[in-house]
Amino acid sequence: MWLCLMHPQIREFYVDRESVVRDGVAHLRTAWAAHPEDQALTDLIAEFTRDEEFARLWTERDARVKGRGRKVMRHPDIGVIALHFETLTPLQDPDQRLVIYRAADDESQSALDRLCAR
């Protein structure tokens, strides 16, 4: 979320940035609801609320964890890369998340292969 909101070059990285930020805000609200005493998290949210888009979405009070989906990114050298993702939560430590990304199509796999070859 920090990169997506606060780093100017990343603003154009996501093809559907609105959706990425909306999902990120919902995930962050879910984490905050589970740990309202976490001062570092509270401070991070306060920092994010300086961003108008975040502040607007935060007031919607959406709290959920999206377990799977698709993200489309725009790499400055390689072009558009579509990825499927899945979020896994360990039973023994539900505060942790493992997110797995994989190419959504042959063109995206080829783009990822070109990135790895660099």
Side-chain angles (χ1 to χ4, degrees), residues 37-109:
E37 74 291 343
D38 186 323
Q39 190 58 50
L41 184 57
T42 300
D43 292 346
L44 189 62
I45 292 165
E47 179 182 357
F48 288 167
T49 55
R50 291 185 224 143
D51 179 270
E52 286 181 29
E53 182 179 21
F54 180 90
R56 176 179 54 80
L57 293 170
W58 186 258
T59 62
E60 292 180 9
R61 301 187 182 274
D62 189 12
R64 64 183 149 67
V65 175
K66 192 173 184 182
R68 61 177 50 135
R70 177 181 166 104
K71 288 186 182 181
V72 182
M73 295 173 238
R74 188 179 299 111
H75 189 279
D77 299 326
I78 302 298
V80 175
I81 303 171
L83 301 169
H84 289 299
F85 71 90
E86 187 160 357
T87 305
L88 306 174
T89 305
L91 293 174
Q92 297 299 322
D93 193 354
D95 287 338
Q96 299 294 317
R97 301 282 186 274
L98 172 65
V99 183
I100 300 170
Y101 289 92
R102 59 186 167 78
D105 51 47
D106 291 340
E107 294 82 17
S108 296
Q109 184 61 58

Side-chain angles (χ1 to χ4, degrees), residues 9-23:
Q9 292 176 325
I10 300 297
R11 292 190 80 83
E12 299 303 317
F13 187 72
Y14 292 102
V15 172
D16 186 6
R17 185 175 177 282
E18 166 83 19
S19 176
V20 170
V21 172
R22 182 176 295 282
D23 287 346

